[in-house]
Amino acid sequence: MSHNQEIMDTSSTDAEKMDKKDNTDLGNSVSRQVVPESNDLEHQIAEDGHAKFSRLGWKRLTVVLIVEAIALGSLSLPAAFATLGMVAGVILTVGLGLIAIYTSHVVGQVKIKFPEVAHYADAGRLLFGRAGYEIVGVMFVLQLVFLVGSHCLTGTIAFNAITEDAVCGLVFGVVSAIILLIIAIPPSFAEVAILGYIDFVSIVLAIGITVIATGVQATEQEGGHAAVNWSAWPKKDVTFAEIMVPITNIVFAYSFSICQFSFMDEMHTPTDYVKSIWSLGLIEIFIYTLTGAMIYAFVGEDVQSPALLSAGPLITKIAFGVALPVIFISGSINTTIALRYVHGRMFSNSVMRYVNTPKGWASWIVLVLVFTLLAWVVAEAIPIFSDLLSLASALFVSGFSFWIPAVMWFMLLREGKWYEKKNLAVAAGCLLAFVIGVITLVAGTYATIQDIVSQNRCHIILEKQLTIVCVDYDYVERLCTQAFCLSFLIKEFG
């Protein structure tokens, strides 16, 4: 049923049928689905809503993709390189980045072929019917909860590092959650794009400060760069869990396709998405590879996660201060993405869905509050930065960025047999993406859970040691939540 036919149809009976069909088959596209207007006021509200959510061009799309994508991932990569070694780290960062660009292109093709798909859950309906819609919808929301939780945890670590205050980390977690909540209130991605420029400058400066500072430290230490204990090869006697966690952290860094349907739904020219994903993908590969390789080469195997913690006390404070905008802007956009899906689904037949009436704003703000609270709970439950990213990657990014797009091509885009000559290259790429996604899902989840259990055991040991030795508990607690308490125990307690 075309957009114009929906507008021209004024029959209440037919309108109800259309709404039912839209909710069942076409998703909740804000910019394309029409609310049955009962009077001129609601008609005007709907028209204003359509205009509000149809302002993204490819340049702004690139900006919001950068806001969503380039943040937490880059901060975990030097530690990933420390475990994997320089060679494997570079190969995986570049290789997984290229595959992520490819699968993102597939996602864009699905959106062009099925313009009614407004969010990833709608693509799940195309693949597996109502069950697919519900399951993928839950995955979609949970992944974004984990993402916002990761940013909340990073904010806590940042405030601890900047202030060196013994105040309970719980307080800084609450402060971080409140900031994320406030920035997430604007419901349009075009509005977020304005903050995107600040976000991008913030992360580039923070990374640049960290790279320069660690480089200077490496030069000034005894023996210079030659004394840094970095290696081209993986750590000796590394366990399966220790290998999979950094791999899933690299996967996490390329999680941008989860939001692509939502972003493209606000584009006035959706076919321009190709420019955006290639621009973002190449920028990501460049930043991630240089960040991971250079900081690891300057710091060595003792590099911390997030990487800003490796720059020395003073520079760490400066770097975290500069990084605060990216921590909170990039985090808050994930709240907006999730709630555009939830809010649109809750009020699919009401003008409240456009968030331009008092009731619409009230409902939106309540949802932002609830969602941010859930993300804060996740951050407090898994206070280990690398493991939180790894678990989110294994459970959800493995699907949204790798195996689900591969299934989309086979089920929704393929023309003819997959083994026909014209399809062989594409089919091979999709099969590779599918295998990577499934391995990350199964092995990554298992390894991350093992690592979380191990870290929690270390936390218990540390608490027992603290009952005997008089030390600054809050200081040690911060170190433990930054996931290197075993090395701390060895250093401090022998």
Side-chain angles (χ1 to χ4, degrees):
M1 184 174 291
S2 70
H3 178 73
N4 292 332
Q5 286 175 323
E6 290 179 318
I7 295 176
M8 293 174 63
D9 192 340
T10 58
S11 166
S12 60
T13 302
D14 290 343
E16 291 173 359
K17 291 179 179 178
M18 284 191 298
D19 292 331
K20 184 176 180 180
K21 178 178 177 61
D22 284 340
N23 292 335
T24 304
D25 300 320
L26 300 181
N28 295 301
S29 174
V30 171
S31 59
R32 289 165 179 82
Q33 184 182 339
V34 177
V35 174
E37 291 82 26
S38 59
N39 54 51
D40 291 340
L41 177 59
E42 290 192 357
H43 178 82
Q44 185 59 48
I45 291 172
E47 288 299 316
D48 291 344
H50 291 318
K52 179 179 181 179
F53 294 112
S54 302
R55 294 182 291 165
L56 274 183
W58 77 267
K59 293 178 182 178
R60 278 192 175 186
L61 174 62
T62 304
V63 171
V64 295
L65 282 170
I66 287 173
V67 171
E68 194 278 331
I70 302 179
L72 293 169
S74 60
L75 304 180
S76 67
L77 292 184
F81 276 53
T83 300
L84 299 171
M86 188 69 75
V87 174
V90 171
I91 291 174
L92 285 170
T93 303
V94 175
L96 289 173
L98 292 174
I99 294 170
I101 294 173
Y102 173 73
T103 55
S104 186
H105 181 65
V106 172
V107 169
Q109 287 179 311
V110 172
K111 174 64 178 175
I112 299 302
K113 185 174 181 179
F114 304 94
E116 66 274 11
V117 174
H119 302 284
Y120 222 117
D122 301 323
R125 187 200 304 278
L126 292 176
L127 292 172
F128 309 115
R130 180 59 184 268
Y133 177 71
E134 299 296 345
I135 293 171
V136 175
V138 170
M139 291 173 58
F140 179 73
V141 174
L142 286 177
Q143 164 64 6
L144 293 171
V145 168
F146 271 70
L147 280 171
V148 178
S150 298
H151 285 267
C152 187
L153 175 59
T154 310
T156 303
I157 295 172
F159 285 131
N160 271 322
I162 292 170
T163 63
E164 288 189 344
D165 198 333
V167 69
C168 177
L170 186 67
V171 175
F172 285 135
V174 171
V175 171
S176 297
I178 291 172
I179 297 173
L180 287 166
L181 185 153
I182 293 171
I183 300 176
I185 290 176
S188 169
F189 299 129
E191 294 163 345
V192 176
I194 298 172
L195 296 174
Y197 300 101
I198 300 173
D199 178 280
F200 184 66
V201 171
S202 171
I203 190 63
V204 170
L205 285 177
I207 292 173
I209 290 170
T210 305
V211 169
I212 293 171
T214 53
V216 171
Q217 289 173 2
T219 302
E220 293 179 347
Q221 70 177 344
E222 185 177 352
H225 286 290
V228 179
N229 61 337
W230 70 272
S231 171
W233 313 112
K235 287 182 177 179
K236 294 180 179 179
D237 302 321
V238 66
T239 66
F240 175 75
E242 290 171 338
I243 281 287
M244 284 305 303
V245 168
I247 291 175
T248 50
N249 282 342
I250 295 175
V251 169
F252 179 90
Y254 295 109
S255 61
F256 56 88
S257 64
I258 182 177
C259 308
Q260 193 173 330
F261 286 121
S262 305
F263 292 154
M264 288 180 66
D265 199 55
E266 279 200 22
M267 292 186 73
H268 52 69
T269 311
T271 51
D272 284 343
Y273 80 94
V274 177
K275 302 174 187 177
S276 297
I277 62 170
W278 274 101
S279 299
L280 170 69
L282 294 177
I283 290 172
E284 278 193 306
I285 291 172
F286 177 77
I287 290 178
Y288 292 164
T289 304
L290 284 183
T291 301
M294 293 181 71
I295 295 178
Y296 172 48
F298 291 151
V299 179
E301 293 182 355
D302 297 326
V303 64
Q304 300 172 35
S305 181
L308 303 184
L309 293 167
S310 298
L314 176 61
I315 301 300
T316 292
K317 292 181 182 181
I318 297 172
F320 267 123
V322 172
L324 287 177
V326 70
I327 291 170
F328 295 115
I329 295 172
S330 289
S332 63
I333 195 174
N334 294 296
T335 301
T336 305
I337 294 163
L339 296 186
R340 283 285 300 279
Y341 163 68
V342 174
H343 192 267
R345 181 172 179 177
M346 289 175 63
F347 303 105
S348 59
N349 296 326
S350 168
V351 292
M352 289 173 64
R353 67 202 296 272
Y354 297 114
V355 198
N356 57 356
T357 64
K359 289 183 178 179
W361 275 109
S363 61
W364 175 261
I365 292 172
V366 168
L367 285 176
V368 171
L369 178 61
V370 172
F371 188 89
T372 306
L373 179 61
L374 288 174
W376 174 78
V377 170
V378 168
E380 293 300 316
I382 310 177
I384 304 168
F385 183 80
S386 293
D387 282 332
L388 182 52
L389 302 192
S390 180
L391 186 61
S393 303
L395 291 175
F396 306 119
V397 179
S398 60
F400 292 122
S401 292
F402 293 95
W403 70 261
I404 295 179
V407 174
M408 285 180 188
W409 182 83
F410 280 101
M411 295 184 64
L412 304 176
L413 300 176
R414 175 175 52 86
E415 296 178 356
K417 303 294 185 181
W418 68 268
Y419 50 79
E420 291 181 10
K421 186 176 181 180
K422 66 177 183 179
N423 289 330
L424 276 178
V426 180
C430 287
L431 181 60
L432 177 61
F434 182 83
V435 170
I436 291 172
V438 171
I439 290 175
T440 304
L441 172 63
V442 178
T445 301
Y446 170 77
T448 303
I449 291 174
Q450 269 199 332
D451 200 58
I452 290 173
V453 171
S454 174
Q455 295 288 354
N456 285 338
R457 187 179 297 118
C458 165
H459 186 85
I460 293 170
I461 292 171
L462 181 60
E463 288 186 338
K464 289 181 178 179
Q465 290 283 356
L466 289 173
T467 63
I468 302 172
V469 182
C470 180
V471 295
D472 183 346
Y473 181 84
D474 289 300
Y475 171 71
V476 178
E477 181 72 10
R478 288 200 298 274
L479 294 183
C480 193
T481 59
Q482 290 158 13
F484 55 95
C485 50
L486 279 177
S487 61
F488 176 82
L489 281 174
I490 294 171
K491 179 179 177 182
E492 296 293 325
F493 302 114

